[in-house]
């Protein structure tokens, strides 16, 4: 709302500095300040401050009863209004806000509302002081001034209202929610603001001020509550109606532009509060239509019928051509002829008239913007520099007939007088501000409206492909053709906001196959839109000269690359972009260089590893761009700052004709490298150079590195490159290690942090290579001896200092993550003292209070506990368990979540050691430690979901690990029951599905323990009932899969209890199999086959353990229609190849580990069924009665039919 105004302290401090104090470089000359003989400033009090103090003292001395009050007030007001209090011109002004508030409150009591001329001057003074001094008023002053201006609006004549409203708009700026009574009066049905802001208001100035006042009422200052939705909706409708209303015939264009600007500012304030709350599709469509029309305000040559409302549509929408024909067709043909002559490559002839015309056309109101726009229009008209050849000329020439209109008038300046030319320049400036305001509003709309609704209007603002006839007017038209770099910048910001988060929408795009001739699929239309975005932004990249706008072009390309599905598009888009942006890495502007590196990050991140990018990374250094045709950009002449001693950098040397002729491969199809080309990617070498080598524009003595933003962006590119394309970077193992060590040794904490993260990424890449499921041949992996040497050098370097840097917790946490990325096989071969150092440091860091460090250290211990060389060390397991148990009680949710994950990993090692080592290991683990872990995990199962998901894993592992002697002890029995009941509650809870399927898996894991008293425990019935309930009723198929798998775990019939419970389990599984294709969410369909597989396996398992007492229930089930359905699914299961119900991989979000899938061969399944059939035939009925025998006959008959069907195949 306002900037701090007190500078007296700094002014005093300046008296003690030397005569030649350092100042920031600026294009504006510094104001002259006289100095005394000793170098101090002669007088720090400005004339404006003196005048204010003098007049304020006189005003405070006046009373309502003073003689000649009117004349004195009039004179003092004039003196105060004549001064400029803007600190841009008077930086030494130190007028206190409280002095201004006291003055205005006192003067308001001196000026009666009957003295309308004084009222007007007082209102002007209020606006003058509050606006220029940026005063933050106290509540009392706000109340006094609001009441005074409100009273003036009611009692004073209409001619005073513009000044009164101007003062009121300044007073309520950001204070709208605090003026409830005033707002209800002003915005009521007959409110003054509604009357004056109406399109029927003839006084344009009064209408503009009223709209400005409404905008300031709607303005929200961060940290303050927004205006009530009721009044905000009223203002929104007024602003929108103003934008939709045509310009009155008797209104000057300049004045009307100010009205539109005020309405746009108000609309932006309404939209910037939060989500869209202004009605349904019609209101949104009306607002978008009005904004789209104003985006092209003042564009010469436009004659289209703008729609009043935009509607969601899947196809491009074209504006209708107006009946009014464009004037002067002969001039248009001359313009086209001139443009063609320039595009032909002939030398440009500069005439005086055209030079003057360009200067007149591109007037901006400030010299800097004028120069930028002159250069931009020069490029857009084909008048680029002589060095710009080949692809650039071809692209610009091909686009000349597509994008219209020509935004540079070709008439000579002799058609206008000087006064008319100045008026035209001012009107163009105002039109540019309107376009800029419309784009700001559009940006607010994009942020306020839900993406799924916004993308219905995609084709109204983004075209699909160039076609015959006039193209639609879209954001791309503005980006390529608008003469103002500020407007182009705003359009690029809007496009970036639309592209941000569009991955799910663009995922439907595909053009790998030719579309059908009868219709064009939406996927092909969307793919054409992506290609058009690439084409247009590439043109903008070539033509743009403003560094700020160029930066936004590259950022917009990064958003596009991050969200477009290139694996579903024809190759070539990224190849052209890759080659085009390479030269901008050496741009003189730092922000441009950083944005280019951000774009490279997007290129190596999107759908990695992408074959097209992989080929681009493998290109030889001289063919990835830079020296090839089309990569020499209009900015190349400005890049000479990179040249040293008259010798051009190799990356900047233009290609000779022989070199160009030797490049026979297409610019859209990357060159396929030969087997001998195994050098590191050009991008990797570039980033390493940017991080470690001195800048080329510095002498060897200075050896200045690149600016920190460039180095940080280069490190981010390296991290993404290592993560997505590790096989291409593994040959640079030593270079990356040395560079990371150098970064860790620097003083800049950001560089240190990114160096540690790069180490983590590289270590993770090596671990992924050695994972068995990735099936990477040993010859393609980094040799284990190199990995050991790499980590030996890293651990003996500055990484230790980062681990012990208590002043930078983020760096410590990142260093812990780097330690956790050591390959287990390499850790085992490290020297014992190095291993001990890693373990000791991690154990010590868990005691640090900072939650970032503690979280990372606990996670690293959870990784180390899985190392084969450490998991059998009982002392290490015990120490780690105690530390994790302490962390599980931490106040931070993140610490507890990582502690639960690490404890789950630790209990996984208990199961592995129990299977590999045997009872000896079980006996070495302390009973007290096991009991503490069981109780802690039970408590954690009631925590938040991200803690709970791993806590139930711990419970399942511990229930599997406990021995019979422990379960029978009284100390364990209560905790054992509490643990099982916690799992049952979690299975039946409304927690996230990940938590519930982990709980189902944990119950199945517990059932694997033969010592668990499933047949006699009181909680056994509840456990089976919970699993039977979710297997039939849960909407999530993965929960049903895990519950079915758990029901099939018990290996003995006695574990299932009596015949009633066994029959309940069978009926639940049969019902679940019958309804396995019923699902509400289509995304669940991918798990349908796995569910059927698991259910069929569970049913066959029950048949395999069934006894005679179970035959009545089984026979009844298999005899009816349900039996036919069961047999149909069992036949499919017996015949299917491979593994149908594989388990989930473990992840740090809480996935279970060691899920067992059924990977047996179909012949083995049939063999098991035959054994089951033989066993069932030999069953003897228990007791008298024929129900068991009849049921057995039905079961045997059904299984016999199954075997016959299987034998036929």
């Amino acid at each position: 709302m306002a900037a701090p105004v007190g500078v007296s302290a700094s002014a005093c401090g300046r008296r003690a500095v030397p005569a030649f104090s350092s100042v920031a470089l600026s294009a504006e000359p510094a104001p002259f300040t006289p100095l005394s003989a000793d170098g101090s400033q002669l007088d720090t009090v400005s004339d404006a401050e003196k005048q204010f103090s003098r007049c304020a003292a006189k005003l405070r001395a006046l009373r309502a009863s003073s003689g000649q009050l009117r004349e004195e007030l009039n004179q003092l007001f004039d003196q105060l209004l004549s001064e400029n209090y803007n600190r841009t011109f008077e930086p030494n002004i130190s007028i206190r806000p409280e002095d201004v508030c006291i003055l205005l409150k006192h003067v308001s009591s001196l000026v009666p509302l009957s003295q309308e001329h004084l009222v007007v001057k007082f209102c002007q003074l209020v606006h003058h002081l509050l606006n220029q001094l940026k005063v933050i008023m106290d509540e009392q002053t706000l109340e006094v001034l609001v009441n005074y201006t409100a009273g003036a609006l009611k009692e004073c004549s209409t001619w005073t209202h513009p000044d009164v409203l101007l003062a009121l708009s300044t007073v309520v700026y950001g204070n709208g929610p605090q003026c409830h009574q005033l707002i209800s009066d002003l915005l009521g049905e007959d409110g003054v603001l509604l009357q004056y802001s109406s399109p029927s208001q003839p006084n344009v100035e009064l209408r503009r001020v009223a709209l400005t006042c409404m905008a300031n009422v709607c303005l929200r200052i961060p940290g303050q509550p927004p205006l009530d939705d009721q009044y905000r909706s009223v203002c929104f409708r007024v602003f929108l109606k103003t934008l939709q209303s045509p310009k009155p015939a008797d209104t000057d264009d300049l004045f009307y532009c100010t009205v539109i600007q005020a309405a746009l500012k108000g609309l932006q304030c309404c939209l910037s509060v939060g989500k869209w709350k202004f009605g349904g599709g019609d209101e949104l469509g009306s607002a978008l239509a009005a904004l789209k029309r104003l985006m092209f305000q003042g564009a010469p040559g436009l004659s289209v019928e703008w729609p009043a409302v935009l509607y969601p549509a899947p196809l491009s929408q074209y504006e209708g051509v107006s009946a009014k024909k464009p004037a002067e067709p002969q001039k248009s043909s001359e313009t086209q002829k001139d443009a063609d002559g320039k595009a032909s490559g002939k030398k440009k002839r500069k005439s005086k008239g055209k030079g003057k015309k360009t200067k007149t056309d591109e007037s901006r109101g400030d010299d800097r913007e004028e120069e930028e726009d002159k250069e931009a229009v020069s490029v857009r008209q084909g008048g680029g520099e002589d060095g710009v050849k080949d692809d650039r000329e071809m692209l610009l020439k091909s686009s000349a007939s597509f994008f219209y209109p020509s935004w540079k008038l070709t008439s000579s300046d002799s058609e206008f007088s000087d006064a008319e030319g100045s008026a035209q320049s001012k009107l163009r400036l105002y039109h540019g501000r309107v376009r800029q305001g419309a784009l700001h509003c559009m940006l607010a709309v994009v942020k306020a409206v839900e993406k799924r609704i916004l993308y219905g209007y995609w084709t109204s603002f983004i075209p699909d492909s160039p076609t015959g006839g006039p193209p639609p007017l879209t954001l791309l038209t503005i980006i390529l053709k608008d003469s103002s770099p500020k407007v182009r910048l705003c359009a690029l910001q809007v496009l970036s906001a639309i592209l941000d988060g569009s991955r799910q929408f663009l995922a439907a795009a595909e053009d790998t196959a030719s579309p059908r001739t009868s219709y064009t699929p939406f996927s092909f239309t969307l793919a054409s839109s992506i290609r058009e975005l690439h084409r247009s932004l590439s043109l903008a990249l070539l033509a743009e000269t403003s560094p700020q706008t160029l930066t936004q072009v590259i950022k917009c390309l990064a958003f596009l690359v991050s969200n477009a599905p290139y694996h579903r598009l024809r190759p070539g888009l990224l190849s052209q972009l890759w080659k085009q942006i390479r030269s901008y890495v050496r741009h003189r502007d730092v922000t441009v260089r950083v944005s280019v590196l951000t774009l490279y990050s997007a290129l190596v991140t999107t759908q990695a590893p992408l074959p097209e990018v992989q080929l681009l990374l493998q290109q030889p250094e001289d063919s990835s761009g830079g020296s090839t045709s089309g990569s020499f950009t209009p900015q190349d002449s400005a890049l000479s700052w990179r040249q040293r001693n008259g010798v051009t950098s190799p990356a900047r040397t233009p290609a000779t004709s022989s070199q160009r002729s030797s490049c026979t491969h297409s610019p859209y199809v990357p060159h396929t490298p030969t087997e001998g080309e195994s050098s590191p990617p050009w991008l990797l070498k570039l980033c390493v150079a940017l991080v470690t080598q001195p800048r080329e524009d510095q002498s060897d003595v200075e050896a200045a590195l690149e600016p920190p933003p460039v180095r940080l962006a280069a490190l981010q590119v390296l991290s993404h490159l290592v993560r997505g394309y590790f096989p291409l970077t593994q040959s640079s193992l030593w270079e990356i290690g040395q560079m990371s060590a150098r970064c860790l040794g620097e003083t800049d904490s950001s560089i240190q942090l990114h160096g540690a993260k790069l180490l983590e990424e590289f270590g993770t890449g090596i671990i992924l290579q050695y994972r068995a499921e990735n099936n990477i041949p040993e010859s393609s992996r980094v040799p284990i001896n190199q990995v050991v040497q790499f980590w030996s050098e890293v651990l003996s370097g500055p990484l230790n200092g980062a681990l012990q840097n208590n002043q930078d917790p983020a760096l410590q946490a990142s260093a812990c993550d780097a330690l956790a990325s050591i390959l287990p096989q390499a850790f085992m071969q490290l020297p014992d003292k190095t291993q001990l150092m890693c373990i000791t440091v991690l154990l010590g860091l868990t005691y640090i209070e900072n939650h970032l460090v503690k979280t990372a250290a606990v996670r690293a211990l959870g990784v180390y506990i899985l190392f084969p060389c450490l998991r059998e060390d009982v002392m290490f397991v015990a120490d780690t368990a105690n530390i994790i148990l302490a962390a599980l009680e931490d106040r931070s949710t993140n610490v507890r979540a990582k502690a639960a994950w690490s404890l789950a990993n630790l209990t996984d090692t208990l199961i592995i050691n129990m299977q590999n080592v045997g009872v000896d290991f079980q006996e070495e683990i302390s009973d007290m430690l096991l009991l503490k872990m069981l109780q802690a995990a039970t408590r954690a199962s009631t925590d938040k979901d991200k803690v709970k998901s791993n806590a139930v894993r711990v419970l399942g592992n511990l229930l599997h690990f406990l021995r019979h002697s422990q379960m029978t002890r009284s100390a364990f029995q209560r905790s054992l029951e509490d643990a099982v009941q916690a799992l049952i509650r979690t299975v039946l809870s409304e927690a996230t599905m990940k938590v519930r399927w982990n709980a189902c898996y944990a119950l199945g894991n517990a059932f694997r323990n033969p010592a668990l008293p499933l047949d006699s425990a009181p909680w056994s019935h509840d456990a089976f009932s919970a699993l039977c309930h979710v297997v039939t009723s849960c909407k999530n198929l993965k929960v049903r899969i895990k519950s079915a798998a758990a029901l099939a775990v018990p290996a003995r019939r006695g574990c299932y209890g009596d015949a009633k419970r066994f029959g309940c389990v069978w009926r639940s599984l049969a019902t679940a199999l019958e309804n396995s294709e019923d699902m509400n969410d289509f995304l669940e369909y991918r798990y349908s086959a796995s569910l059927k597989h698991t259910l069929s396996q569970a049913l066959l398992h029950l048949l395999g353990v069934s006894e005679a007492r179970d035959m009545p229930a089984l026979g009844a089930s298999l005899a009816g229609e349900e039996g036919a359905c069961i047999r149909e699914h069992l036949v499919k299961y017996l015949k299917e190849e491979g593994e149908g119900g594989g388990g989930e991989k473990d992840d740090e979000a809480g996935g279970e580990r060691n899920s067992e899938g059924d990977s047996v061969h179909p012949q083995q399944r049939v063999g098991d069924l035959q054994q089951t059939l033989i066993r069932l035939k030999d069953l003897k009925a228990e007791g008298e009665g024929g129900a068991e025998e009849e049921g057995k006959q039905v079961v045997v008959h059904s299984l016999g039919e199954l075997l016959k069907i299987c034998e036929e195949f």
Side-chain angles (χ1 to χ4, degrees), residues 1117-1150:
S1117 176
L1118 292 174
E1121 294 182 2
E1122 185 182 42
C1125 178
I1126 291 174
R1127 285 192 297 273
E1128 179 183 352
H1129 285 290
L1130 291 180
V1131 168
K1132 293 179 181 178
Y1133 166 75
L1134 292 171
K1135 292 189 301 182
E1136 71 180 11
E1137 295 283 345
E1139 182 178 339
E1144 290 294 309
K1145 300 292 182 185
D1146 171 63
D1147 59 19
E1148 296 184 20

Side-chain angles (χ1 to χ4, degrees), residues 1021 1053 1056-1065 1067 1109-1110:
H1021 172 75
R1053 169 62 186 84
Y1056 288 98
D1058 57 15
K1060 182 179 179 181
R1061 185 191 299 174
F1062 186 89
C1064 179
V1065 173
R1067 285 191 300 273
R1109 54 179 170 165
D1110 307 317

Side-chain angles (χ1 to χ4, degrees), residues 378-394:
S378 175
V379 173
R380 282 164 174 72
Q381 293 302 314
E385 300 166 4
D386 295 337
V388 182
K389 304 289 183 182
D390 302 333
D391 285 356
R392 174 179 168 270
E393 291 184 354
M394 178 185 68

Side-chain angles (χ1 to χ4, degrees), residues 678-695:
S678 60
S679 60
W682 164 82
L683 185 58
L684 186 145
K685 293 191 289 185
L686 169 70
C687 292
V688 171
L690 290 174
V691 173
T692 60
Q693 296 181 8
R695 290 169 53 183

Side-chain angles (χ1 to χ4, degrees), residues 3 12 38 208 245 279 473 480-481 511 570 796 877 1001 1153 1198:
C12 295
D38 60 352
R208 181 192 69 81
S245 302
L473 298 176
L480 287 168
K481 300 299 292 182
D511 67 350
R570 295 195 308 272
S796 61
V877 172
Y1001 174 81
R1153 297 177 60 88
S1198 297

Side-chain angles (χ1 to χ4, degrees), residues 958-974:
L958 290 175
L959 293 174
H960 185 187
F961 183 79
L962 291 176
R963 291 171 290 145
H964 183 268
S965 61
Q966 293 168 329
M967 293 184 185
T968 56
R969 291 176 54 185
S970 58
F972 274 90
Q973 286 179 352
R974 179 60 183 271

Side-chain angles (χ1 to χ4, degrees), residues 116 152-153 155-163 196 201 203 206:
E116 294 185 345
L153 287 174
E155 298 184 21
C156 296
S157 303
T158 307
W159 71 270
T160 66
H161 287 185
D163 291 291
Y196 289 160
Q201 172 60 238
N203 189 332
L206 189 59

